[in-house]
Amino acid sequence: MTGSTSRRGRGAYAHRLERMRNQAMVPPFGEGRESDTQQTKTGAAVDCGWGRLLFGQTFESAEALVETMRAEAPERRDIAVYVRDPHVVLSLAPQEMFLDPSHTYRLDLATYKTARRRPAGFFIRRLASAGDADAVNRIYATRGMVPVRPDFFWSQRDSRAVTCFVVEDELTGNVIGTVMGVDHGRAFGDPARGSSLWCLAVDPQATRPGIGEALVRHIVEYFKARGAAFTDLSVLHDNEQAIALYEKLGFYRVPFFTLKRKNQINERLFVGPGPEAELNPYARIIVDEARRRGIDVQVTDAPGGFFRLSYGGRTVHCRESLSELTTGVAMSICDDKAVTRRVVERAGLTVPAQIEADGREALEAFLAEHGSLVVKPARGEQGRGIAVGVETMEHLEEAIATAKLYCDRVLVEQRVAGEDLRLVVIDYRLVAAAVRRPARIVGDGRATIRELIERQSRRRAAATGGESTIPLDAETERCVAAAGYGLDDVADQGEEIAVRRTANLHTGGTIHDVTGEVHPRLVAAAVAAARAIEIPVVGIDLMVRSPREPDYAFIEANERPGLANHEPQPTAERFVDLLFPLSVPTAVRQAALLEGRDRCSA
């Protein structure tokens, strides 16, 4: 038995080696086929909006490919694929080009098998409007991808070479995913009848399962119906989640290589990991912005998120968005939630009723008066120890005991219904506003709630650099039980279940930008709170009925707000502006000065 298994293993290995040898460094043109007589375009380049896709096998020489790559437009990312002899091309421009650290995967469409069951809750269609284009760029921004100029989609609406699909949520109508495909036959007369998949991206806030797989299958089936022989894609070597999906669908690695230009967009791919690589996303977004401006960065403690910035003789030590500009007094005010509440209440802000968890009679009376409560440690961050929607004395006592694990003093507060609004205020100006929503899952009729939570948690972790996960703890069990389920039950397909009450990012909450629509009174309240605390960088949390309405209740102030995950708002840029105003380009400083004068005259 062992010998038979060994022979089968050697046979499979030999087959893979033969396939690799047959395909090694050979561009995807068919050999010895009738279709080879078709006319193929020389020096083929396809505009994809984010840059050009250059088909290396169509260039007559390495020199011609190099010259074409040198014509890359500003703020674009050109990609040269199927490059013959990439080592030769690199030798001609070693300071300008680099070998992309991505694998190429291929799916033979003749052997592709469609899914037995279609996902529910969303549908896939062609990109069709300016709103779709804006939504695609928003998703690109959250994924660190190059945005596409909106007019590109209209200029390509009649093109048969480039096709862009989007995923629309059936319930909300929001675009929650996108993919782009290129038909090689239409692009340059490819005799091998190839196609390729690009820019697969899913909104990190999406809760529907299976969006990425559905997009891949849709584009693959689209190309197969049009007679393509295979679909290729390029994926970064360390993107384990994406690679697992592609291999599950039958993609296999092929030895083709990709070249890119050394530019600002691609910098992290060719400079190698620096000391900032170990920083969390909240510190790294600031460090990256500082480096772009020529500000010196010294990482003093990567696990803690500490770094020192130096520019023009000025040095500032930071821990993420907390800097030396924030005083110890301001930190102390924010650290104690009861003190924060008193300070902002004296400044005229609306605050919910609150008592300390001391004495059963007082707690019973407070619960009877307000009906639904929030329990939280007097000191703490990232949503630890907080329970929301406590409605019985039994749950109240349990929540207080949990909160005391984080702080001896526990606060019990009136629960204010509505949405959790985070306003990031830097230098006493609003920079970003976002509605934060608690983690939730959508049933599929097959997986248990526990499995769905674990899947959603993995997606949130991948989207936030590991910062956002859904704990499987007593609070999650309580939320699931409130919906009438246990963790090992199976929810009906399409049923939405809230699995947390708090909207903190660190417990799986999602962030939805509302900066352009937030009510002026809410902005004024946030700025007033920042001035009362006398803190230059702060995250103000309000409970609101809607970000478009003026009513609110102040919840807390965070002296170290996370600046990541607020795309497309320039949070890191405004933070670095505050620390190093002379690093701001002269034209921008002059424009800001004129804006200030206009406000004063008004």
Side-chain angles (χ1 to χ4, degrees):
M1 190 66 157
T2 303
S4 174
T5 302
S6 177
R7 283 193 297 273
R8 284 200 300 271
R10 285 198 301 271
Y13 182 65
H15 172 72
R16 287 196 297 271
L17 282 179
E18 182 180 2
R19 183 169 66 186
M20 292 282 281
R21 281 196 299 269
N22 290 339
Q23 294 174 334
M25 307 306 295
V26 178
F29 285 173
E31 294 187 0
R33 296 195 314 202
E34 185 177 339
S35 61
D36 286 354
T37 61
Q38 296 178 4
Q39 183 66 36
T40 301
K41 182 179 178 181
T42 301
V46 176
D47 184 6
C48 295
W50 36 260
R52 296 173 302 168
L53 194 59
L54 311 178
F55 293 91
Q57 76 274 38
T58 68
F59 284 79
E60 296 179 342
S61 66
E63 290 82 0
L65 178 57
V66 168
E67 287 305 311
T68 302
M69 292 185 73
R70 282 174 174 157
E72 179 183 70
E75 303 301 322
R76 301 292 93 184
R77 172 188 276 169
D78 289 352
I79 302 176
V81 295
Y82 308 124
V83 179
R84 284 195 186 97
D85 303 327
H87 54 296
V88 176
V89 179
L90 287 176
S91 73
L92 297 175
Q95 303 303 318
E96 300 175 65
M97 315 293 177
F98 70 98
L99 191 65
D100 183 44
S102 295
H103 296 320
T104 302
Y105 275 78
R106 169 168 293 180
L107 179 68
D108 292 326
L109 300 186
T111 58
Y112 166 75
K113 296 180 180 179
T114 58
R116 293 182 178 179
R117 185 172 179 173
R118 295 291 181 179
F122 59 85
F123 59 90
I124 301 175
R125 58 173 174 80
R126 283 179 180 267
L127 184 146
S129 68
D132 288 347
D134 291 340
V136 166
N137 275 335
R138 176 184 57 80
I139 295 173
Y140 283 175
T142 64
R143 294 297 189 178
M145 298 164 66
V146 181
V148 175
R149 63 183 191 278
D151 67 290
F152 166 78
F153 294 110
W154 319 133
S155 66
Q156 296 291 317
R157 64 184 179 274
D158 297 325
S159 170
R160 302 178 69 181
V162 179
T163 305
C164 188
F165 292 102
V166 296
V167 176
E168 182 176 322
D169 189 293
E170 290 181 349
L171 182 63
T172 65
N174 294 332
V175 171
I176 54 176
T178 180
V179 70
M180 180 179 289
V182 177
D183 186 324
H184 298 180
R186 301 290 182 183
F188 63 93
D190 180 14
R193 296 180 294 118
S195 62
S196 54
L197 177 159
W198 301 92
C199 296
L200 175 67
V202 177
D203 189 336
Q205 319 292 358
T207 57
R208 303 283 183 183
I211 298 172
E213 179 176 341
L215 278 167
V216 175
R217 287 189 178 278
H218 190 87
I219 198 78
V220 162
E221 291 164 14
Y222 171 82
F223 284 133
K224 182 175 182 179
R226 280 152 182 76
F230 61 83
T231 297
D232 287 352
L233 59 85
S234 179
V235 57
L236 279 173
H237 70 95
D238 57 357
N239 192 344
E240 296 178 359
Q241 190 175 22
I243 289 173
L245 168 62
Y246 298 141
E247 291 182 341
K248 168 188 169 183
L249 297 181
F251 283 84
Y252 58 89
R253 274 188 63 185
V254 287
F256 301 135
F257 299 96
T258 301
L259 294 181
K260 294 177 181 175
R261 284 201 71 206
K262 292 181 179 179
N263 57 28
Q264 181 177 310
I265 296 171
N266 295 323
E267 184 175 4
R268 68 183 183 86
L269 300 177
F270 63 83
V271 298
E276 67 275 14
E278 299 178 7
L279 293 171
N280 65 40
Y282 307 109
R284 195 163 57 244
I285 189 175
I286 298 169
V287 166
D288 289 345
E289 174 62 22
R291 287 193 183 281
R292 279 194 289 269
R293 299 194 192 186
I295 297 171
D296 182 65
V297 177
Q298 179 186 356
V299 177
T300 53
D301 184 76
F306 290 88
F307 52 89
R308 183 177 285 111
L309 305 179
S310 300
Y311 183 81
R314 175 181 172 84
T315 299
V316 183
H317 207 175
C318 305
R319 183 186 185 191
E320 299 167 9
S321 65
L322 177 65
S323 75
E324 296 171 357
L325 276 64
T326 296
T327 67
V329 173
M331 277 193 63
S332 297
I333 292 172
C334 293
D335 181 56
D336 191 318
K337 294 178 176 62
V339 175
T340 313
R341 180 182 177 277
R342 292 196 297 268
V343 168
V344 301
E345 185 179 19
R346 286 195 293 268
L349 273 72
T350 304
V351 297
Q354 185 186 90
I355 62 171
E356 291 203 21
D358 187 16
R360 183 180 177 88
E361 289 186 7
L363 291 172
E364 287 178 339
F366 196 75
L367 177 60
E369 179 182 359
H370 298 290
S372 184
L373 305 177
V374 177
V375 177
K376 55 189 177 184
R379 290 185 168 90
E381 59 182 2
Q382 300 180 350
R384 297 188 184 100
I386 296 179
V388 178
V390 177
E391 297 179 349
T392 67
M393 277 303 298
E394 179 185 0
H395 283 159
L396 180 56
E397 290 171 345
E398 291 175 359
I400 290 170
T402 300
K404 282 188 174 180
L405 297 175
Y406 300 93
C407 180
D408 291 337
R409 288 177 53 231
V410 175
L411 304 176
V412 180
E413 192 172 84
Q414 167 195 5
R415 183 191 181 191
V416 179
E419 294 194 289
D420 186 323
L421 178 67
R422 161 63 64 89
L423 299 109
V424 178
V425 177
I426 298 177
D427 199 15
Y428 306 108
R429 295 185 180 185
L430 178 72
V431 175
V435 169
R436 304 188 300 173
R437 298 194 175 114
R440 55 197 174 96
I441 54 98
V442 178
D444 63 0
R446 292 175 293 175
T448 66
I449 291 174
R450 184 190 304 275
E451 290 169 339
L452 292 173
I453 290 173
E454 289 172 345
R455 291 178 194 172
Q456 177 74 353
S457 189
R458 285 194 296 270
R459 286 196 294 270
R460 295 296 299 136
T464 61
E467 293 297 310
S468 180
T469 57
I470 305 173
L472 279 167
D473 58 12
E475 177 67 9
T476 298
E477 287 190 53
R478 187 167 72 86
C479 291
V480 172
Y485 290 100
L487 289 176
D488 295 316
D489 293 336
V490 176
D492 293 337
Q493 182 170 296
E495 183 174 1
E496 189 174 288
I497 300 172
V499 297
R500 300 293 292 190
R501 294 281 177 84
T502 58
N504 296 75
L505 180 76
H506 292 85
T507 55
T510 56
I511 297 178
H512 309 266
D513 180 67
V514 294
T515 308
E517 56 192 85
V518 66
H519 195 281
R521 187 180 173 192
L522 305 182
V523 177
V527 173
R531 289 195 181 279
I533 301 169
E534 296 185 46
I535 186 167
V537 180
V538 65
I540 301 296
D541 294 339
L542 307 178
M543 289 300 296
V544 300
R545 288 189 302 185
S546 165
R548 304 178 189 88
E549 297 180 14
D551 297 325
Y552 72 89
F554 173 88
I555 302 302
E556 65 181 43
N558 189 321
E559 76 279 4
R560 184 162 51 97
L563 301 185
N565 306 308
H566 281 283
E567 298 86 357
Q569 306 308 325
T571 51
E573 290 93 321
R574 297 296 85 81
F575 179 75
V576 177
D577 291 350
L578 172 69
L579 269 52
F580 301 100
L582 294 181
S583 73
V584 179
T586 303
V588 176
R589 290 205 307 272
Q590 290 175 344
L593 182 61
L594 290 173
E595 180 186 352
R597 288 174 180 170
D598 291 342
R599 281 201 305 270
C600 290
S601 62

